[in-house]
Amino acid sequence: MEGEEKSRKAVLKAAMITAFITTFMGSALNLSIPAMEGDFNVGGAMAGWIVTAYTISVAALSVPFGSVADISGRRRVFLAGVAGFLTISVLCIFAWNIWILLFLRTLQGASAAMIFSTNNAILISAYPDSERGRVLGLSTAATYVGLSAGPVIGGFLNHYMSWHAVFGAAAIAAAVAFFEGYKSIPKDTKNAPGAGPDVSGNVLYIGAIAVSLYGLGNLTAMRTGPLILAGGILLGVAFVLVERKKTNPVMKISMFTKSAPFTLSSLAALLNYGATYAISYLVSIYLQVVMDFTSQTAGLILIVMPLMQALFSPAMGALSDRIKPYKLATCGMLLCVLALCMFSRLSETTGLWYVIISLMTAGFGFFMFASPNTNAIMDCASPEDYSVANSVVATMRTYGQSASMGIVSVVMGITIGAMALEESSAADLVRTMKISFTVFIVLCILGVFMSAFRGKGVKNS
């Protein structure tokens, strides 16, 4: 019994480390972009693809790899993903031009997708149902800390060493995760013969996500942006129509059509990330441009949000084992609405105390929503579909993040044109933030309704 508990803890450790490093690498390079522009002698648009290539790869490949994991074995896919992430992180340190780095970042995103699709699925398979919420809370805390602390830690490493150190830190963490996972995750069982990958479904899904995200990211930067986005949506419609007829689809459409709680929980996650992801970016610029703090000081102030999440997400996850998850998640979304309303009131004369309280409110909202919502989603899935369900969570997160930044880009195009936020006046920045946060408030209110109305049919009580 003691050995089994030790093995479970090792699985939990591996899941938490990978949850952190994969999301960390999605945001940690943000403050390193100016330095990378200089090193590679490229413009801001090209350098921005260092972040975008990773994000699109994660979003497009998470569900396909989840399907592969459910067929061929989660341990195999997880360890392959961690090993790939480790190897590619090391190679990124030695990238000698921008094209090599972009290629490696795309592969790194693919490796992260392999991890995203399996880490939580392996985790909840290792623990009894009565502890699912608690361990998901710990994993979710690591995810949110990676997302929110990425720019802070990445900025620190870049300032005192270089952007190469960000990849080095990720490689070290991946090595620890691989060791813990290799020794503790049970070997995969034999799968039933005849199961194989859904090639056409994978192609349509990857195309739909990649094309729509590319169009969304270039909605105002390119004249063809709206057409590209529309093309991605059409590919998504084709994916649904094709998958409904498959006996072994990459994603069971019935997971959505036959389970309102699963559908509404997934949409609530999409809306939550879409409404809140840009908070750190907008507030960091506000702290520097309007309040005249240095980037390092601004980063330290922003730690308030991930600190709240790291401290309270585990407890909230455990609570969702005893209280219906949708009730907790709905309360979390309501707190996020309150935080967004507070941010929309920022002005050129707002005190630092108000900013910190707003960040704390947002942090409380995040941790109340994330763990219970993930618990609700996984509760609606059968054990054989855990990897795909976990991949849906990762896709909702990544797509929501991209949508959030896309909204900011559109608002910037309307309010300040081609000028960067960092170079705009305080008045223009405040106006941009007010419009952006107003849009986010609407999205978050929609998420509240999605979260509240899914209650009927959720099994946890």
Side-chain angles (χ1 to χ4, degrees), residues 161-397:
M161 287 177 267
S162 72
W163 58 266
H164 303 83
V166 178
F167 291 108
I172 293 171
V176 175
F178 183 86
F179 174 75
E180 294 291 344
Y182 185 82
K183 72 177 184 179
S184 61
I185 298 173
K187 291 186 177 180
D188 297 313
T189 56
K190 296 283 185 180
N191 294 289
D198 173 16
V199 177
S200 61
N202 279 317
V203 170
L204 284 172
Y205 183 85
I206 293 170
I209 298 296
V211 172
S212 61
L213 280 180
Y214 182 78
L216 185 64
N218 292 280
L219 203 57
T220 56
M222 298 171 56
R223 290 183 179 180
T224 56
L227 291 177
I228 295 173
L229 176 59
I233 294 172
L234 288 176
L235 285 173
V237 172
F239 169 77
V240 172
L241 293 176
V242 169
E243 291 297 277
R244 292 181 66 180
K245 301 176 182 178
K246 294 288 183 70
T247 56
N248 186 37
V250 63
M251 179 195 294
K252 294 179 182 176
I253 303 302
S254 59
M255 293 173 69
F256 293 91
T257 59
K258 294 183 179 179
S259 176
F262 183 87
T263 302
L264 294 175
S265 296
S266 300
L267 290 175
L270 176 66
L271 290 167
N272 181 265
Y273 282 105
T276 60
Y277 180 70
I279 287 176
S280 293
Y281 177 68
L282 288 172
V283 175
S284 68
I285 303 300
Y286 174 84
L287 290 170
Q288 294 174 73
V289 175
V290 178
M291 304 195 79
D292 202 28
F293 287 111
T294 65
S295 60
Q296 286 178 279
T297 303
L300 290 173
I301 294 170
L302 288 171
I303 285 179
V304 170
M305 279 201 303
L307 181 62
M308 294 297 101
Q309 294 152 214
L311 289 176
F312 297 104
S313 283
M316 191 55 57
L319 191 60
S320 72
D321 286 325
R322 299 190 295 274
I323 299 175
K324 288 186 177 181
Y326 82 92
K327 293 183 178 179
L328 296 174
T330 302
C331 290
M333 286 285 275
L334 285 169
L335 277 176
C336 288
V337 172
L338 174 60
L340 291 168
C341 289
M342 294 174 71
F343 285 124
S344 71
R345 304 285 296 175
L346 291 176
S347 69
E348 296 177 55
T349 58
T350 302
L352 180 60
W353 64 270
Y354 182 89
V355 177
I356 292 175
I357 291 175
S358 301
L359 290 169
M360 290 179 67
T361 304
F364 273 103
F366 293 158
F367 82 73
M368 282 195 72
F369 172 81
S371 301
N373 192 70
T374 302
N375 196 359
I377 290 175
M378 301 304 289
D379 193 44
C380 296
S382 56
E384 64 269 19
D385 293 325
Y386 278 166
S387 291
V388 170
N390 192 49
S391 302
V392 170
V393 176
T395 302
M396 294 299 106
R397 175 174 61 244

Side-chain angles (χ1 to χ4, degrees), residues 5 15 35 90 143 238 277 308 324 336 405 435 455:
E5 182 61 26
V90 173
T143 297
Y277 180 70
M308 294 297 101
K324 288 186 177 181
C336 288
M405 293 306 295
I435 296 173

Side-chain angles (χ1 to χ4, degrees), residues 25-94:
M25 282 310 303
S27 59
L29 291 175
N30 287 346
L31 293 180
S32 302
I33 293 300
M36 298 174 91
E37 288 177 13
D39 285 356
F40 293 117
N41 194 27
V42 295
M46 177 62 76
W49 277 99
I50 296 170
V51 175
T52 305
Y54 179 89
T55 304
I56 291 180
S57 186
V58 170
L61 296 174
S62 289
V63 167
F65 275 128
S67 178
V68 170
D70 282 333
I71 294 172
S72 64
R74 294 166 189 159
R75 184 179 189 270
R76 294 186 186 94
V77 174
F78 175 82
L79 291 178
V82 178
F85 194 92
L86 165 59
T87 303
I88 295 163
S89 295
V90 173
L91 292 176
C92 284
I93 297 173
F94 303 102

